[in-house]
Amino acid sequence: MHRHLFDADHDAFRETVRAFCDKEIVPHHESWEEAGIVPRELWAAAGAAGLLGFMMPPEYGGGGVRDFRFNAVLIEELTRAQASGVGFTIHTDINSAYLLDYATDEQKARWLPRFCSGETISAIAMTEPEAGSDLQGIRTTAVRDGDHYLLNGQKTFISNGILADLVVVVAKTDPAAGAQGISLLVVERGMPGFERGRNLDKIGLKAQDTAELFFDDVRVPAENLLGEEGQGFVYLMEKLPQERLTIAVVAAAACERILEQTLRYVKERKAFGRPIGSFQNSRFVLAELATETQIARVFVDRCIEELNAGTLTVADAAMAKWWTTELQKKVVDRCLQLHGGYGFMTEFPIAKAYLDTRIQTIYGGTTEIMKEIVGRSLGI
């Protein structure tokens, strides 16, 4: 089915991103997975290619185009390249929205030029050892002390956590106020008391650095408060739909990529003197997966249009996130089965896809939380 979502500018950007992935990422990604991290030089190269700041105003070195279709192109091409360890989307799809909408002009002038160039790598720190999807349960605190905040607490599972120079930290500035007491503070590399723990060992996304972060009386300047004090929870609720749509875009693109790889395999691999794709079971399995993948694609593209129009609802984003990621798990599992024993071998792309897929139904809000959001939207 032809996609009507993109125009010539998006197509040209796709060519740029694809060429960048083929030259700068694909030949090196395996070694980055072994190292558990990508080099900072990759970020600088991406900034020079215009891949990191296309949504930022030109006066800060950006492209001046805030259109999530460009984000979708970047996500889809990284997924096509199986560049699961490259943390650009944290930077371009999540943190960019917070900085664009809540940062002051002074903060933008201070942070955005290096954000666009790739000299500054960003992360967002929400999850804690005792608080995942329940953001109101966080324990990290930021107490006002003159013209600073004293930040104390711990975060975990933070993508880009090792490399990050700029971390948007979710903290309680008024613990007694519940959701109304949550604020966002921007912590910068080198602030005394800000320490990183180990680079966490995961079953997938091996090249994506994922860290524990520790804050021990970190004196964060008051001018690093992002937006208004006490409005952090509101900001998170406003931006989480875009984060969840980002995950859904990954899921839809991954389903398409996995199907494409599997179709090639079943046409070449033979059993009992014929291609395994010619057996009825193989055809039926692939027909089902192809149909559901097409349905996912149409819904995700519609959600992208809604996001650009400012009308994407929390419930629709939750629907997209849970349904596409659960589909991704189904597609990769059944396609691995069609690969037989080779699917269990890590040198085959399907095995890597299987491991990288598992996080999709967890981060950004679990499937169970997404269903709770949708259920509440129905008035039940």
Side-chain angles (χ1 to χ4, degrees), residues 9-10 13-14 16-17 46-76 78 88-89 91-94 96-97 100 112 115-118 242 246 308:
D9 289 340
H10 303 108
F13 184 62
R14 188 181 297 277
T16 298
V17 178
L51 305 190
L52 301 180
F54 49 85
M55 75 300 294
M56 296 303 186
E59 58 265 33
Y60 303 121
V65 182
R66 192 169 184 180
D67 175 354
F68 194 78
R69 290 176 294 178
F70 286 101
N71 299 66
V73 168
L74 179 60
I75 296 165
E76 289 172 5
L78 289 170
F88 293 166
T89 55
H91 197 75
T92 59
D93 303 336
I94 300 175
S96 65
L100 274 169
L112 294 191
F115 180 101
C116 295
S117 69
Q242 179 165 317
T246 294
N308 269 354

Side-chain angles (χ1 to χ4, degrees), residues 210-367:
T210 306
E212 302 168 310
L213 305 181
F214 301 94
F215 310 98
D216 183 12
D217 279 342
V218 181
R219 293 185 63 81
V220 182
E223 58 262 30
N224 279 27
L225 175 69
L226 194 58
E228 297 180 20
E229 186 175 299
Q231 292 298 301
F233 190 77
V234 173
Y235 299 154
L236 292 168
M237 293 304 102
E238 288 176 349
K239 298 308 176 191
L240 276 171
Q242 179 165 317
E243 178 180 348
R244 288 163 181 163
L245 179 57
T246 294
I247 297 170
V249 173
V250 171
C255 288
E256 292 170 342
R257 178 62 167 160
I258 293 162
L259 273 173
E260 175 188 322
Q261 293 171 335
T262 303
L263 282 169
R264 283 202 303 268
Y265 180 81
V266 299
K267 290 175 182 178
E268 297 170 357
R269 176 70 172 169
K270 292 185 178 180
F272 304 103
R274 53 193 282 203
I276 62 173
S278 67
F279 291 98
Q280 185 184 68
N281 178 72
S282 301
R283 289 200 306 271
F284 279 16
V285 167
L286 291 167
E288 178 183 334
L289 299 180
T291 301
E292 291 181 303
T293 295
Q294 185 68 262
I295 292 168
R297 164 58 58 214
V298 172
F299 183 51
V300 168
D301 281 1
R302 178 59 185 272
C303 286
I304 293 171
E305 293 175 331
E306 294 289 334
L307 180 69
N308 269 354
T311 54
L312 179 65
T313 67
V314 171
D316 284 347
M319 288 180 184
K321 197 273 179 185
W322 86 255
W323 196 82
T324 59
T325 57
E326 291 290 346
L327 176 64
Q328 184 182 348
K329 281 169 54 181
K330 174 182 176 181
V331 169
V332 74
D333 183 68
R334 295 197 179 180
C335 286
L336 188 149
Q337 183 72 20
L338 289 172
H339 279 74
Y342 289 105
F344 202 62
M345 301 297 108
T346 55
E347 66 262 30
F348 272 67
I350 190 67
K352 172 176 162 50
Y354 185 85
L355 294 173
D356 289 343
T357 289
R358 192 58 190 87
I359 189 59
Q360 285 279 87
T361 59
I362 297 173
Y363 60 12
T366 64
T367 293

Side-chain angles (χ1 to χ4, degrees), residues 76-274:
E76 289 172 5
E77 289 305 308
L78 289 170
T79 304
R80 181 196 69 85
Q82 286 197 290
S84 53
V86 178
F88 293 166
T89 55
I90 305 296
H91 197 75
T92 59
D93 303 336
I94 300 175
N95 281 346
S96 65
Y98 289 96
L99 295 175
L100 274 169
D101 289 343
Y102 309 130
T104 65
D105 289 342
E106 183 277 329
Q107 289 172 335
K108 289 177 180 177
R110 187 153 43 105
W111 293 328
L112 294 191
R114 294 174 66 88
F115 180 101
C116 295
S117 69
E119 295 170 90
T120 288
I121 299 170
S122 68
I124 185 165
M126 301 185 202
T127 302
E128 298 182 3
E130 302 299 326
S133 297
D134 178 18
L135 291 175
Q136 295 187 56
I138 64 168
R139 298 181 180 179
T140 297
T141 60
V143 178
R144 187 66 182 256
D145 181 28
D147 57 358
H148 287 76
Y149 288 91
L150 282 179
L151 180 66
N152 285 279
Q154 178 182 351
K155 300 291 183 178
T156 193
F157 309 144
I158 307 305
S159 299
N160 293 349
I162 299 294
L163 287 172
D165 308 290
L166 206 69
V167 184
V168 178
V169 179
V170 182
K172 286 187 174 179
T173 46
D174 184 357
Q180 287 70 44
I182 292 176
S183 302
L184 304 182
L185 292 174
V186 178
V187 176
E188 300 178 60
R189 178 183 290 276
M191 286 184 172
F194 171 35
E195 301 291 341
R196 301 159 209 265
R198 59 197 175 97
N199 192 353
L200 300 171
D201 187 13
K202 310 178 298 294
I203 65 171
L205 307 186
K206 287 288 191 177
Q208 170 71 70
D209 60 301
T210 306
E212 302 168 310
L213 305 181
F214 301 94
F215 310 98
D216 183 12
D217 279 342
V218 181
R219 293 185 63 81
V220 182
E223 58 262 30
N224 279 27
L225 175 69
L226 194 58
E228 297 180 20
E229 186 175 299
Q231 292 298 301
F233 190 77
V234 173
Y235 299 154
L236 292 168
M237 293 304 102
E238 288 176 349
K239 298 308 176 191
L240 276 171
Q242 179 165 317
E243 178 180 348
R244 288 163 181 163
L245 179 57
T246 294
I247 297 170
V249 173
V250 171
C255 288
E256 292 170 342
R257 178 62 167 160
I258 293 162
L259 273 173
E260 175 188 322
Q261 293 171 335
T262 303
L263 282 169
R264 283 202 303 268
Y265 180 81
V266 299
K267 290 175 182 178
E268 297 170 357
R269 176 70 172 169
K270 292 185 178 180
F272 304 103
R274 53 193 282 203

Side-chain angles (χ1 to χ4, degrees), residues 15-32:
E15 291 180 7
T16 298
V17 178
R18 183 167 294 190
F20 181 88
C21 289
D22 290 344
K23 179 183 177 182
E24 304 288 349
I25 296 177
V26 173
H28 313 292
H29 198 271
E30 186 176 349
S31 66
W32 298 341

